[in-house]
Amino acid sequence: MSDENNIWITVSCSAAVLAVASLSYTRLEPNRGTDWKIHAAYLAIAICSVVFIPESIASYIFTELTVTLVGCVYPIYRATKAVCTPDDDDDKEWLQFWMLGGVMFMLTTWVDDVIQADKANSVWLGSLLFAFFWLYFPLTCGALLIYDNVTEPLLGPRLRPLQRKMNNFITYLYQTLANAVHLYLLWIIFMFLPAGLKRVIAIAIGTVYPFICSVTAAATDEIEDDTYWLTYWAVFGCLFLLMDLFETWLGRIPGFYTLVIFTTIYLMLPMFRGADKVFRKILVPLAGLQELLILRDSIQIKKQMLKDLDPERARIVRKHIAKFFDGDGDHDADPAVLKGELMQSWSAIRIPKIKLPFGKSSKDDDTPTETTNLV
């Protein structure tokens, strides 16, 4: 069989596996992974598939393309959609997946370099495929199961103090690296490291600290930090794919992994908010989810407005915002006109008088003075 036919068979098999994963996720009802019989059956199917499927067939199914599509590309899409939708539960769900996915990215860094035999490679890729799918398969919900039984009760209390220390360390490190001399010395040391070690360092920088922050974020009721780190994981997943794709040709060029590290830092640190910029400018348009993101932003603005303003002022602001969006280029939708109406509405609100601890009382303030008589 020609190489071209082999490529088409591999792509077709990978697409078929991706279709099965997508349909099962969208059609099956999740059960929070509480039925251990399903886990046992899933494990048995995985072992039989990985071990007993002939190598001639497994070489087309258990490939790097299949693992990439099921374990990274599809989760990137689902995480992007989760951030764009108004629901909050899916943010935590996919954040839990990416916490474990980041650990698995680190694991593949060492194993890929060790495995050489074709059969062992098929077994490894098949195991990865079933492991990634187990994390978000609705009948197993592996990521949620691990979070409820391991991450939250065991890792969460231990990682929160570590996160505070790492936040202080990162602030100090950022201030230190602002000095060009320190940055240049670190870059020289890094350039002399082997390519494999550079890759490990690049992936560790992109996964260790975000993993700790994601664990502490998922343990809180606030949704903003969940959304922030889920956005980061979606964008970092794309960066990981690009690095994995181009490092075969560019990995030995000086500066390749340095660029990956600086890009990761730009995406990760809140002072830059790079992940949010890339997410909104690139990922959301590619996924065709602009309308959903605008809807979510509108809902977040309303929640923030109700939180910051008293009910009466919030009602007035919502009324004028709705008037602006309902208008279609007419005079009533002019921002200047709406601003004047808004200020007029505010002036109609009775503001309670505040009795100052010093000075005249409110009764004295009502007494006409020489200045007021002149006016």
Side-chain angles (χ1 to χ4, degrees):
M1 190 176 295
S2 63
D3 293 339
E4 184 177 354
N5 290 334
N6 289 336
I7 293 175
W8 280 111
I9 294 175
T10 301
V11 172
S12 300
C13 291
S14 299
V17 174
L18 176 62
V20 172
S22 176
L23 288 174
S24 63
Y25 179 80
T26 54
R27 300 297 176 86
L28 296 178
E29 191 70 24
N31 63 355
R32 298 187 63 86
T34 55
D35 191 346
W36 290 100
K37 295 180 181 178
I38 296 179
H39 291 279
Y42 185 91
L43 179 62
I45 294 173
I47 293 176
C48 293
S49 301
V50 171
V51 176
F52 296 111
I53 289 182
E55 176 62 24
S56 58
I57 300 177
S59 60
Y60 294 114
I61 301 176
F62 303 140
T63 63
E64 293 183 359
L65 177 61
T66 306
V67 174
T68 300
L69 292 176
V70 176
C72 195
V73 175
Y74 185 69
I76 288 174
Y77 171 75
R78 298 305 311 188
T80 303
K81 191 171 183 179
V83 173
C84 294
T85 54
D87 298 331
D88 295 338
D89 293 338
D90 50 0
D91 287 25
K92 283 188 177 295
E93 174 189 351
W94 283 102
L95 180 62
Q96 292 157 13
F97 168 86
W98 280 105
M99 286 188 296
L100 299 171
V103 175
M104 294 176 69
F105 288 158
M106 285 289 298
L107 181 63
T108 58
T109 303
W110 287 285
V111 178
D112 288 343
D113 296 333
V114 174
I115 294 178
Q116 299 295 333
D118 292 338
K119 180 60 179 178
N121 189 52
S122 297
V123 172
W124 166 242
L125 292 175
S127 302
L128 269 182
L129 175 64
F130 279 101
F132 275 121
F133 187 50
W134 176 77
L135 292 177
Y136 62 84
F137 182 46
L139 299 183
T140 55
C141 295
L144 179 61
L145 188 68
I146 293 177
Y147 177 79
D148 289 339
N149 294 279
V150 179
T151 306
E152 184 178 26
L154 300 180
L155 295 181
R158 293 170 174 81
L159 291 182
R160 290 189 190 97
L162 180 60
Q163 182 195 5
R164 288 192 290 268
K165 294 179 181 178
M166 292 188 69
N167 288 339
N168 296 332
F169 174 75
I170 288 176
T171 302
Y172 171 77
L173 184 62
Y174 175 76
Q175 295 172 350
T176 303
L177 293 181
N179 188 327
V181 176
H182 294 86
L183 185 61
Y184 183 69
L185 290 176
L186 288 176
W187 182 76
I188 290 178
I189 297 173
F190 182 76
M191 291 301 294
F192 282 97
L193 296 177
L197 185 56
K198 291 179 182 179
R199 174 186 169 88
V200 172
I201 294 175
I203 297 178
I205 290 176
T207 56
V208 175
Y209 176 69
F211 170 78
I212 296 174
C213 293
S214 298
V215 171
T216 56
T220 62
D221 295 331
E222 297 292 333
I223 196 62
E224 288 79 9
D225 49 1
D226 295 353
T227 303
Y228 176 85
W229 286 110
L230 182 58
T231 301
Y232 165 79
W233 283 114
V235 179
F236 177 75
C238 296
L239 178 64
F240 179 83
L241 288 178
L242 292 175
M243 182 187 71
D244 203 37
L245 178 64
F246 291 111
E247 66 180 346
T248 303
W249 300 280
L250 304 178
R252 298 186 181 278
I253 297 178
F256 174 75
Y257 290 105
T258 304
L259 178 63
V260 172
I261 290 175
F262 276 104
T263 304
T264 302
I265 294 175
Y266 171 74
L267 297 176
M268 177 174 51
L269 294 185
M271 65 186 69
F272 300 123
R273 299 193 69 85
D276 185 68
K277 295 181 177 67
V278 175
F279 181 84
R280 291 176 176 272
K281 298 295 184 181
I282 299 178
L283 279 189
V284 172
L286 286 177
L289 300 173
Q290 296 96 321
E291 294 85 356
L292 274 179
L293 183 61
I294 292 173
L295 176 62
R296 180 182 178 117
D297 288 342
S298 303
I299 294 174
Q300 294 301 320
I301 290 174
K302 180 181 178 181
K303 290 181 179 179
Q304 191 66 35
M305 182 170 53
L306 294 176
K307 178 181 178 181
D308 295 341
L309 301 177
D310 61 79
E312 180 62 22
R313 296 186 70 179
R315 184 189 65 80
I316 294 174
V317 174
R318 287 164 52 196
K319 175 183 176 181
H320 284 80
I321 291 177
K323 187 176 182 180
F324 176 77
F325 279 103
D326 289 339
D328 189 14
D330 54 7
H331 178 71
D332 292 337
D334 182 24
V337 175
L338 292 176
K339 177 182 177 182
E341 294 178 357
L342 182 63
M343 299 302 294
Q344 185 177 3
S345 301
W346 280 352
S347 63
I349 299 177
R350 184 178 299 276
I351 302 177
K353 293 183 179 181
I354 301 176
K355 185 176 181 180
L356 301 177
F358 304 102
K360 297 181 179 180
S361 63
S362 59
K363 181 178 180 181
D364 295 336
D365 292 340
D366 294 336
T367 305
T369 63
E370 182 178 356
T371 304
T372 56
N373 288 334
L374 288 176
V375 175

